[in-house]
Amino acid sequence: MKILVTGKDGQLGFELQRTLAPLGSMHAVGHRELDLRNADAICELMRSVRPDIVVNAGAYTDVNKAESERDVANEVNGRAPGVLAEELKRYGGRLLVHFSTDYVFDGSSTRPYREDDPTNPINAYGASKLLGEQAIQEVGAAYLIFRTEWVYATRGRNFLLTILRLAREGTPLRVVDDQVVAPTWSRMIAEATAAVLAQFGSEGAPKGVYHITAAGQATWYQLAEAILTQCATQASTAAGREWCKQGLQRLSGISSAEFSTPARRPAYSLLCNDKLAQTFGICCPGWRDQLCLALCEHPLSV
Ligand SMILES: NC(=O)c1ccc[n+]([C@@H]2O[C@H](COP(=O)([O-])OP(=O)(O)OC[C@H]3O[C@@H](n4cnc5c(N)ncnc54)[C@H](OP(=O)(O)O)[C@@H]3O)[C@@H](O)[C@H]2O)c1
């Protein structure tokens, strides 16, 4: 089985290269090798590689910048997934796996969002990701869309690494404490994706939209506290442990209103993983356990 992974240098794309490798021959491309804004380049690559499965982890993920770069976000997140789906359908490829976001919802729910709850994005990034979901569904090729949220990794640009950097720099840590989500390690998503794909026989598996997130809930503030607490005891150097202890003392929770950003964010965006568990038998572990594992393999050179 031939697998094409896009966005190979991203948080998720990097992990997918590892977890999907045992399932077939891998062709992974990053932004440099394939610009998802370029529909012709997408078609050309698809025609030369002819993958059985395309796993699209490439995306425009700068939520704030998307407000002023809507066109770019829409091209990468809204149009490219449809081009991938169309090309796959044209030559009879088996499946497009795509990733989407909790930000397709407006955050007004009081219980974890299910896959068929009404969407209503409140920022440009969420709107572009919803366009991508719709583009795939309109094509009618076989697809799996995995919505996830608050992805972090031990590499790249993300909240976890930012908190450790700010702790090292001695910056006051004022962190939003009124947005409820499930922080999710990119590796967990990649492992769940591989577990789903491993279940595909020649007949294929159920297609559609599924939610994949860590279990439990947190705010940004609680996540920062958990990161610093663990590193305060486990950092590999005494200086690192001290920076994290001091970071904890400088950590305070603020409201979203006190932290103005170009993009509005949903106040509540927990996603319900039940459909994933019922369909594929995959249980998503708790976010604290995942964070603990992720930090254990981080060099912790804070
Ligand atoms: N990060 C989150 O918190 C989060 C939350 C919910 C859902 N998701 C979704 O999960 C998926 C994976 O996200 P991630 O966290 O792994 O994001 P990421 O770390 O930002 O990775 C995205 C990758 O896409 C690449 N990319 C950006 N523009 C591109 C273009 N025009 N052509 C080709 N590649 C391009 C980026 O390359 P450059 O860096 O070189 O631009 C980057 O390597 C995405 O679909 C995202 O929307 C993420």
Side-chain angles (χ1 to χ4, degrees):
M1 186 164 68
K2 242 189 220 178
I3 304 170
L4 172 66
V5 173
T6 70
K8 75 175 175 67
D9 302 312
Q11 302 190 89
L12 180 55
F14 179 78
E15 295 291 348
L16 284 166
Q17 292 176 76
R18 201 190 324 235
T19 61
L20 300 184
L23 300 181
S25 68
M26 168 85 59
H27 188 101
V29 291
H31 197 163
R32 264 177 303 193
E33 295 84 21
L34 174 69
D35 185 350
L36 289 165
R37 295 176 71 183
N38 185 339
D40 290 341
I42 295 175
C43 295
E44 199 178 310
L45 182 74
M46 291 282 284
R47 284 168 200 180
S48 74
V49 177
R50 287 179 74 87
D52 302 294
I53 297 182
V54 177
V55 183
N56 182 33
Y60 182 107
T61 56
D62 192 324
V63 177
N64 287 327
K65 218 163 144 194
E67 294 299 314
S68 54
E69 290 191 350
R70 279 172 193 257
D71 291 350
V72 184
N74 286 342
E75 279 174 13
V76 179
N77 296 341
R79 190 183 60 166
V83 177
L84 288 167
E86 264 169 29
E87 199 53 37
L88 194 78
K89 187 180 175 190
R90 198 187 56 74
Y91 66 78
R94 284 174 62 187
L95 177 71
L96 171 62
V97 180
H98 178 70
F99 298 92
S100 190
T101 171
D102 53 319
Y103 284 4
V104 297
F105 298 114
D106 63 16
S108 60
S109 181
T110 51
R111 52 135 180 92
Y113 282 101
R114 290 193 283 261
E115 286 78 354
D116 54 0
D117 281 333
T119 53
N120 183 30
I122 60 170
N123 58 42
Y125 166 76
S128 73
K129 294 297 289 184
L130 182 58
L131 283 177
E133 292 189 7
Q134 291 164 343
I136 290 170
Q137 287 161 336
E138 277 162 22
V139 170
Y143 71 88
L144 284 168
I145 294 172
F146 293 131
R147 289 193 193 126
T148 187
E149 65 184 300
W150 270 33
V151 181
Y152 65 85
T154 52
R155 60 192 297 286
R157 288 185 305 266
N158 59 62
F159 183 79
L160 184 154
L161 298 179
T162 302
I163 287 295
L164 292 177
R165 177 175 55 78
L166 294 177
R168 187 182 60 222
E169 292 170 359
T171 312
L173 294 163
R174 301 175 74 239
V175 182
V176 170
D177 197 22
D178 59 4
Q179 289 169 21
V180 178
V181 300
T184 302
W185 188 16
S186 57
R187 179 165 307 170
M188 194 220 87
I189 306 165
E191 283 172 344
T193 303
V196 169
L197 294 187
Q199 295 182 21
F200 273 65
S202 53
E203 296 304 312
K207 314 293 194 307
V209 180
Y210 295 85
H211 291 170
I212 298 185
T213 71
Q217 67 179 65
T219 64
W220 291 105
Y221 170 82
Q222 288 167 335
L223 176 57
E225 190 179 41
I227 293 166
L228 293 173
T229 302
Q230 184 171 339
C231 292
T233 55
Q234 287 188 9
S236 54
T237 61
R241 292 191 289 276
E242 189 53 34
W243 284 322
C244 290
K245 277 181 203 149
Q246 288 178 14
L248 274 169
Q249 286 162 12
R250 286 195 306 273
L251 179 66
S252 59
I254 58 171
S255 69
S256 303
E258 291 172 88
F259 187 71
S260 167
T261 55
R264 284 175 65 212
R265 284 161 169 82
Y268 178 98
S269 49
L270 288 185
L271 301 176
C272 173
N273 292 317
D274 287 357
K275 186 178 168 193
L276 184 80
Q278 283 153 13
T279 311
F280 299 111
I282 292 170
C283 296
C284 295
W287 72 266
R288 283 185 187 276
D289 292 342
Q290 288 287 294
L291 177 68
C292 194
L293 287 172
L295 285 172
C296 282
E297 73 170 35
H298 184 263
L300 293 179
S301 51
V302 289

